[in-house]
Amino acid sequence: MFGKGAKRKLDEEDDEGLEGQALASPVAPGAAGGPGPRWPEGPSKVSYTLQRQTIFNISLMKLMYSHRSPPAEPRLERRVLINNMLRRIQEELKQEGALRPPLLLLPPSPPPDDPMDETFREAPPAAGSGPGPATPGPPSAMPASPVTPASAAQLPLQLLALPPSPAPPPTPPPPPHTATPPCPPATPTGPAPMEACLTPASLLEDNDTAFCTLAPPTLPLSPPPTPPNCQPASPLPLPPRGPSPHGAGFFPPAPASLAPGPPAAIAKTAAAANTTTTSPTAPALPLPSPPLPLRDSRTTAPRAEVAVVSPTSVGVVADAPPASHPYPPAPPSPSGFLSDLALDDILFADIDTSMYDFDACTTAGAVTAKLSPAVTADDLLKSLTSPYAVAPAPQVSANQPFKIDLTELDHIMEVLVGS
Amino acid sequence: SAGGGSEDMQWCFSQVKGAIDDDVAEADIISTVEFNHSGELLATGDRGGRVVIFQQEVENKSVPEYRSEYNVYSTFQSHEPEFDYLKSLEIEEKINKIRWLPQKNASQFLLSTNDKTIKLWKISERDKRPEGYNLKEEDGRYINPGNVTSLRVPVFRPMDLMVEASPRRVFSNAHTYHINSISVNSDHETYLSADDLRVNLWNLEINDRSFNIVDIKPANMEDLTEIITAAEFHPHHCHTLVYSSSKGSIRLCDMRASALCDQHTKLFEEPEDPSNRSFFSEIISSISDVKFSHSGRYLMTRDYLTVKIWDLNMETRPIETYQVHEYLRNKMCSLYENDCLFDKFECCWNGNDSVVMTGSYNNFFRMFDRAQRRDATLEASREHNLPLQLLKPRRVCTGGGGGGGCSKRKKDEISVDSLDFNKKILHTAWHPNDNIIAVATINNLYIFQDKVSDPDSADDLSASDMMCTI
């Protein structure tokens, strides 16, 4: 087995190399005598980070997709174990964030009120028309915000926002692969084949500079030479959350705010993803402050709107009311609704949003006022860690979510009026 | 033979039940295997909700070589799929567990459960039927009373044996979560059923009430990090039960201490080995099965990579740990991806608690002889189906290098990368009094028996194929 920090031989099996690194995890803080996470050095640290990210993404994918038809109740043990995995990774990332404050500038922590409040559910209608309950600051204030452990927790979702393709083609995610796609894009029709999602360690070695860069001011200017199959399948993006004071989500506005390693890659791909939206002011590649929130606004808005017609719209999964049953298809927390819907939404960014009156693109400066607030990793985890959360039905196609929602809204209205 | 492990214990093929073709129907996937208390009956449950009971052939019981011949005795549909309209979710009909009741009279009783409902089945034989009614024809039609001119007394006449299964009790609506275990108490009056968060106590006679004895559901479900994975009553002490958790701990509860056994009497937990720590440490520590020894002195637990034997008197660590497939430790990321890391392997004791058995992948299963400190890897495969054919020990090579194969490929060796993870043996059972084992592959049931050693036989030369250790 690999000891901590042990270097791998280059000629070893790639899979084994990556797998072997599964053991090179830092000692957990709080372990007897442990001062805190001890990082393996050099390439093994990179591969550890990458593997952790991979596992995080895989875990989210597992929670999102139901393999059963007709849907049966989710297995609680499996969900609990996956949730614990996600929490552990998030915890680690939090602590890493705590260890590297100067390198990590993220949006400040979410407002103190509980995101699982009932008020949460009312936030989405307000999206696009006003800020959340907390006073939002302008996105430009974000670079100056101090790092808190909570904000550091938003890091994992940055790790998630990795579309499969490194090139910045102006296509919506998931973008087509130019190279052989061992990491297939997440499709709605079922769980993405995940066998190929592990990044071979050899690729990590190819891209040492990309992953190990600490503070890359010039980072976002060109697409990274990341391998085509570098990242796991899911462009799991940023589910909206309830009101957040700073709206613009987790994309740090300034390159200097990027954490080392994968966040750097994220910044690049965020730039790439940025170009996939129809943001009118987004330049092709760079990562300036406004386009990021803009992208958020473009993509979060429909989610917000979708959230308007939820929670019943989560009846994509089931029509059951969130009564007192153990595995309700609709998560009990509103953020759970949002996250489920958001994932569907992001997966189909070509959703026709014409029926929604939203002009966030014209409000780049005041974008925070309109944004459906960013979801932090905490919230995502919380929504996902609810054992009640059930994957959205993978059969939902691009335009249907909204139509389904409206239909169900009509139905609900009929029921309410009739009773 | 008394079921003990001997130096020369080798295993022979006896029978295989189930479809031959590789295209497996989901409903035929075996989900549980259980011998009854005498070993005469062997029950299997499948995903289609059916129970098939095999019976040991009476005529061959006394012939050592053929004593493990089992034939179908009864087949019945135990559970049907249900649809929970309130939640818009399906309740699977898959039989999660079967437990036999000790036999009290001519009939046999077993408990079978799916995710939500436990049923008590009575299996009875009918080999006589009354004939000669006054008012009924033989085919059942009633005779016009006006045509009856004489009286006669109906008599019982022999008929072809008919085995009937009838549900005597249905225990439902007591489990919000998925039932993973049932266990009959040694008092023969009560039994427990356990789901992910609760353990309930039932009286076999009363099906409209159950008593909750363990509840680990947190006030806020978002705080849920640990669930119950298995539970069992002590074989002799009717007040003692254990339940295992997804974090690798086992709690022993004494029902005399309090009505609600949320506070455990004993907690069996082994500290984590820091050198083996990984992302998957928790998942592989989750206990998939827990079984008391027949003696009641020991406890066996199965987690993903190991089988552990605990002494009930020592909570700090197991007294024995057996590696089932340690070569998988480097594959855990892939196994997590394809969900194999969540496979729930069961384990079982032999009759005198000297050997334990559990399943693995590639249709391999493992035996650990506690007394002899030997272990064996055997395969359930249709390639070795000659009657009484000896099973050759298998070996998995972990060799490094680019090929990942064995350096010297022997016929019985296979490399880790060649293992078929779809061929998993999750369910095994050992005859309570004999060296007869039932091993379930995905959709086939294999029955093996130990080789009957004949001092005069030349076959003893093949004893050079000793069990090899990995």
Side-chain angles (χ1 to χ4, degrees):
Chain A
M1 304 301 160
F2 294 105
K4 298 175 184 50
K7 293 197 175 173
R8 297 165 290 109
K9 295 199 169 86
L10 288 180
D11 58 352
E12 279 178 353
E13 273 281 349
D14 291 338
D15 280 341
E16 258 187 356
L18 187 62
E19 291 280 3
Q21 289 307 313
L23 302 176
S25 57
V27 173
R38 300 201 303 267
W39 279 99
E41 295 303 324
S44 60
K45 168 192 160 195
V46 168
S47 62
Y48 170 82
T49 308
L50 189 68
Q51 186 187 45
R52 178 178 61 193
Q53 170 196 330
T54 304
I55 293 172
F56 191 87
N57 289 352
I58 293 172
S59 305
L60 279 177
M61 290 288 291
K62 283 184 177 306
L63 288 180
M64 286 298 126
Y65 286 105
S66 165
H67 298 237
R68 302 165 184 272
S69 67
E73 293 184 69
R75 294 280 143 182
L76 190 56
E77 178 187 0
R78 187 168 173 271
R79 299 188 69 82
V80 166
L81 289 172
I82 297 173
N83 288 341
N84 292 350
M85 174 84 82
L86 290 168
R87 278 180 180 149
R88 254 200 310 281
I89 294 178
Q90 188 196 26
E91 204 48 52
E92 267 188 31
L93 291 164
K94 266 186 193 171
Q95 290 179 354
E96 286 170 35
L99 288 177
R100 295 180 171 80
L103 301 175
L104 200 61
L105 287 178
L106 293 169
S109 48
D113 53 341
D114 189 342
M116 302 303 150
D117 275 353
E118 285 308 303
T119 57
F120 211 64
R121 204 171 284 197
E122 292 147 22
S129 62
T135 308
S140 56
M142 285 161 56
S145 58
V147 173
T148 67
S151 60
Q154 300 175 19
L155 187 56
L157 281 170
Q158 300 195 45
L159 298 181
L160 297 179
L162 292 169
S165 167
T171 57
H177 292 280
T178 53
T180 3
C183 286
T187 64
T189 55
M194 291 191 268
E195 289 77 20
C197 286
L198 285 179
T199 305
S202 60
L203 295 170
L204 293 173
E205 286 144 29
D206 291 345
N207 295 282
D208 255 349
T209 55
F211 284 113
C212 291
T213 318
L214 289 188
T218 61
L219 191 58
L221 295 181
S222 61
T226 51
N229 59 347
C230 67
Q231 302 305 341
S234 59
L236 292 173
L238 330 165
R241 208 206 113 175
S244 143
H246 302 273
F250 5 72
F251 287 122
S257 67
L258 294 170
I266 292 159
K268 305 170 214 163
T269 52
N274 190 31
T275 66
T276 69
T277 70
T278 58
S279 160
T281 64
L285 296 173
L287 197 64
S289 165
L292 278 173
L294 192 59
R295 173 195 179 275
D296 260 350
S297 70
R298 286 295 298 161
T299 53
T300 53
R303 268 179 267 132
E305 294 301 327
V306 170
V308 172
V309 295
S310 86
T312 59
S313 60
V314 182
V316 218
V317 179
D319 292 322
S324 60
H325 46 254
Y327 306 112
S333 69
S335 67
F337 296 129
L338 299 173
S339 63
D340 286 348
L341 292 167
L343 286 168
D344 268 347
D345 180 42
I346 292 303
L347 292 172
F348 304 97
D350 55 349
I351 286 173
D352 174 22
T353 61
S354 59
M355 64 177 79
Y356 298 99
D357 181 22
F358 186 86
D359 43 350
C361 50
T362 65
T363 60
V367 64
T368 56
K370 299 217 171 202
L371 278 182
S372 172
V375 183
T376 65
D378 261 337
D379 305 320
L380 178 62
L381 277 185
K382 275 181 187 161
S383 66
L384 293 172
T385 55
S386 163
Y388 301 164
V390 164
Q395 299 88 350
V396 173
S397 66
N399 284 321
Q400 279 180 5
F402 304 99
K403 293 179 184 156
I404 289 175
D405 301 334
L406 289 179
T407 307
E408 290 187 348
L409 185 62
D410 285 343
H411 176 68
I412 298 292
M413 289 307 299
E414 282 171 9
V415 170
L416 290 173
V417 169
S419 61
Chain B
S1 45
S6 67
E7 181 104 23
D8 295 309
M9 186 161 70
Q10 300 176 81
W11 292 91
C12 308
F13 171 82
S14 173
Q15 293 174 286
V16 58
K17 314 283 189 190
I20 295 180
D21 48 87
D22 291 330
D23 202 13
V24 179
E26 164 118 11
D28 293 337
I29 296 176
I30 298 172
S31 50
T32 185
V33 180
E34 187 81 358
F35 279 99
N36 75 335
H37 293 265
S38 66
E40 181 202 351
L41 297 176
L42 175 61
T44 64
D46 63 24
R47 281 211 194 161
R50 292 165 302 194
V51 172
V52 180
I53 301 176
F54 301 91
Q55 185 189 39
Q56 204 173 12
E57 264 312 311
V58 178
E59 298 108 28
N60 293 332
K61 255 197 248 188
S62 49
V63 182
E65 284 83 6
Y66 301 109
R67 68 195 195 280
S68 63
E69 181 179 343
Y70 282 77
N71 294 320
V72 176
Y73 178 66
S74 173
T75 303
F76 57 93
Q77 186 77 33
S78 171
H79 287 72
E80 297 275 1
E82 293 174 44
F83 194 78
D84 185 332
Y85 293 97
L86 193 62
K87 308 171 204 170
S88 271
L89 292 172
E90 185 187 64
I91 299 173
E92 294 180 353
E93 68 273 31
K94 172 169 76 91
I95 308 294
N96 292 337
K97 284 291 184 328
I98 289 174
R99 289 290 182 264
W100 290 92
L101 267 60
Q103 188 172 10
K104 284 186 194 171
N105 51 39
S107 301
Q108 301 278 354
F109 287 85
L110 62 82
L111 288 169
S112 70
T113 185
N114 69 347
D115 284 337
K116 298 287 186 181
T117 304
I118 308 127
K119 294 188 182 178
L120 176 68
W121 287 90
K122 175 180 176 182
I123 295 103
S124 45
E125 294 183 357
R126 187 195 296 266
D127 61 355
K128 302 175 192 52
R129 67 161 180 226
E131 290 178 8
Y133 284 102
N134 279 287
L135 298 175
K136 273 198 296 190
E137 301 280 8
E138 292 305 324
D139 59 6
R141 283 179 304 137
Y142 279 93
I143 302 174
N144 186 344
N147 295 343
V148 176
T149 55
S150 63
L151 284 177
R152 56 181 177 167
V153 178
V155 293
F156 276 93
R157 294 250 156 76
M159 57 177 264
D160 290 339
L161 178 66
M162 202 165 67
V163 181
E164 300 171 326
S166 59
R168 307 300 291 177
R169 305 266 188 278
V170 177
F171 306 90
S172 54
N173 296 324
H175 283 280
T176 311
Y177 302 93
H178 292 145
I179 297 174
N180 52 57
S181 310
I182 48 176
S183 176
V184 183
N185 206 348
S186 52
D187 62 9
H188 301 169
E189 289 182 4
T190 57
Y191 74 95
L192 67 80
S193 58
D195 65 26
D196 297 314
L197 298 179
R198 299 192 175 101
V199 180
N200 292 336
L201 183 70
W202 301 83
N203 185 304
L204 283 164
E205 300 292 329
I206 301 169
N207 64 339
D208 59 354
R209 270 167 283 156
S210 77
F211 187 67
N212 175 251
I213 46 178
V214 175
D215 189 340
I216 66 167
K217 182 179 177 188
N220 185 356
M221 280 295 278
E222 289 174 9
D223 298 334
L224 180 65
T225 59
E226 188 174 8
I227 63 142
I228 297 172
T229 53
E232 193 176 62
F233 267 121
H234 191 280
H236 309 309
H237 303 311
C238 56
H239 47 77
T240 300
L241 64 106
V242 294
Y243 66 93
S244 58
S245 85
S246 56
K247 289 196 174 175
S249 62
I250 307 104
R251 286 169 176 79
L252 185 143
C253 300
D254 188 329
M255 296 196 291
R256 299 170 299 183
S258 79
L260 270 178
C261 296
D262 288 357
Q263 299 297 318
H264 53 263
T265 304
K266 293 194 181 186
L267 174 63
F268 298 86
E269 204 169 27
E270 185 176 26
E272 188 184 7
D273 178 5
S275 67
N276 272 341
R277 195 163 178 277
S278 78
F279 287 112
F280 308 103
S281 292
E282 185 191 7
I283 296 180
I284 63 167
S285 75
S286 175
I287 292 174
S288 51
D289 196 14
V290 64
K291 290 267 171 51
F292 276 102
S293 64
H294 290 94
S295 63
R297 168 80 189 269
Y298 302 103
L299 197 59
M300 169 164 56
T301 58
R302 174 73 155 98
D303 50 60
Y304 190 73
L305 293 179
T306 70
V307 165
K308 292 180 176 156
I309 311 289
W310 303 77
D311 186 319
L312 287 190
N313 298 319
M314 184 164 78
E315 302 168 53
T316 51
R317 58 179 173 80
I319 58 171
E320 294 155 34
T321 300
Y322 299 104
Q323 302 295 331
V324 180
H325 36 222
E326 175 73 10
Y327 46 78
L328 295 182
R329 194 178 283 275
N330 276 342
K331 304 287 176 193
M332 290 198 294
C333 204
S334 314
L335 296 169
Y336 179 60
E337 254 190 324
N338 63 17
D339 268 5
C340 280
L341 214 62
F342 297 102
D343 284 339
K344 313 224 115 325
F345 292 95
E346 292 174 6
C347 54
C348 59
W349 298 85
N350 74 338
N352 64 5
D353 301 334
S354 61
V355 184
V356 296
M357 171 168 66
T358 188
S360 178
Y361 294 104
N362 210 73
N363 282 348
F364 289 171
F365 58 100
R366 299 270 281 140
M367 281 193 194
F368 302 96
D369 189 326
R370 304 173 60 212
Q372 305 286 332
R373 306 233 169 259
R374 302 172 77 97
D375 63 88
T377 303
L378 302 171
E379 182 180 3
S381 152
R382 286 196 177 263
E383 290 174 8
H384 315 285
N385 287 357
L386 298 180
L388 300 183
Q389 182 177 8
L390 261 174
L391 296 184
K392 284 192 156 44
R394 296 275 173 243
R395 189 186 164 89
V396 178
C397 321
T398 57
C406 312
S407 52
K408 261 190 188 179
R409 188 68 67 98
K410 294 185 197 163
K411 205 175 54 156
D412 300 324
E413 289 189 354
I414 184 171
S415 77
V416 183
D417 302 313
S418 309
L419 293 175
D420 188 343
F421 289 93
N422 292 322
K423 293 186 180 174
K424 50 191 86 171
I425 291 179
L426 303 175
H427 312 287
T428 58
W430 203 308
H431 190 290
N433 307 316
D434 201 347
N435 279 338
I436 300 172
I437 56 176
V439 173
T441 59
I442 289 297
N443 64 332
N444 288 157
L445 183 72
Y446 286 78
I447 299 173
F448 304 107
Q449 66 174 55
D450 68 338
K451 175 176 159 50
V452 177
S453 54
D454 179 3
D456 301 328
S457 167
D459 281 345
D460 270 2
L461 294 175
S462 63
S464 61
D465 280 0
M466 296 300 287
M467 298 193 290
C468 66
T469 54
I470 289 184

